[in-house]
Amino acid sequence: MFVLNTQPRRPPHAGRRQRGIASIEFAFVFLLLFIAMYGVVTFGAVFYTQQAISRAAEDGARAARLLPQPPSLASVCQAVSNSLASSVVPPLTCPSSASDLTSVSLTGCSSTDASCAVTVTYRYGDNPILPLVSLFDTSWVPPKLQSRATVALKAS
C-alpha cells in the first residue's frame, strides 16, 4: 500500500529566519512591563511614606493631648520619632536640626489655646525609599511630604 504525504515540504532554512524574533518581542514587552511596574512601585513607596508621616503627626498630637499642659516640643518630638522608628522613614533626632530629613513643629500649644497642631515634614526628594531612575519622568514625585494633625487640649 502506498501512502501519500499531504503536507507541503518546507525548505530546510525556513525555520532559521524566525529564530531571533522571540528575543526581540520579549525585549519590547519586558521594557513596557518594567516601566509600568516601576511606576506602580514608586507610587506605592511615596504613598507609604505619606501614610507613615501622617501616622507620626497623629501620634505627636495624641502625645500633646496626654502630656502635661502646655506640651513641650521635645516631648512631642520624641513621640513622633518613636512612631517613625517602626517605618522605613528615618526617625528624627530630638531636638531636630536643619540638617535632619524630618522636622516637627507645634502650633498653638500654649496654655491659653484650646487646640494644638503638630506638623511633621519629611524631605522625600533628599532621601527617597526607592532610587529615582533618570530615564523616567519622575517630576510627579514630591520633594517633601507634610502632614498636620490637630487635637483639642484638656481644659485646665
Side-chain angles (χ1 to χ4, degrees):
M1 174 160 257
F2 182 68
V3 177
L4 287 174
N5 187 0
T6 58
Q7 295 180 351
R9 285 192 61 185
R10 291 185 356 205
H13 63 281
R16 282 186 269 170
R17 288 187 296 182
Q18 298 288 324
R19 189 171 293 172
I21 201 76
S23 305
I24 294 170
E25 289 173 355
F26 173 76
F28 286 130
V29 170
F30 177 76
L31 183 64
L32 291 175
L33 288 177
F34 179 76
I35 290 170
M37 188 60 90
Y38 177 78
V40 168
V41 171
T42 302
F43 178 78
V46 172
F47 187 73
Y48 169 78
T49 306
Q50 179 62 46
Q51 292 300 314
I53 296 298
S54 296
R55 186 185 67 235
E58 292 167 4
D59 289 346
R62 192 173 300 113
R65 166 95 168 117
L66 298 176
L67 290 170
Q69 300 305 316
S72 68
L73 179 61
S75 302
V76 172
C77 181
Q78 188 60 44
V80 169
S81 181
N82 291 343
S83 178
L84 290 176
S86 64
S87 68
V88 296
V89 178
L92 65 149
T93 56
C94 298
S96 60
S97 65
S99 64
D100 286 341
L101 293 171
T102 310
S103 62
V104 177
S105 64
L106 294 176
T107 308
C109 293
S110 67
S111 58
T112 59
D113 292 326
S115 65
C116 179
V118 177
T119 304
V120 179
T121 305
Y122 176 66
R123 294 192 327 245
Y124 188 82
D126 294 342
N127 189 30
I129 293 177
L130 296 175
L132 300 177
V133 179
S134 61
L135 298 175
F136 306 125
D137 179 27
T138 55
S139 61
W140 59 270
V141 177
K144 73 176 186 173
L145 300 173
Q146 186 172 8
S147 184
R148 180 180 176 139
T150 306
V151 66
L153 296 176
K154 293 187 269 187
S156 307

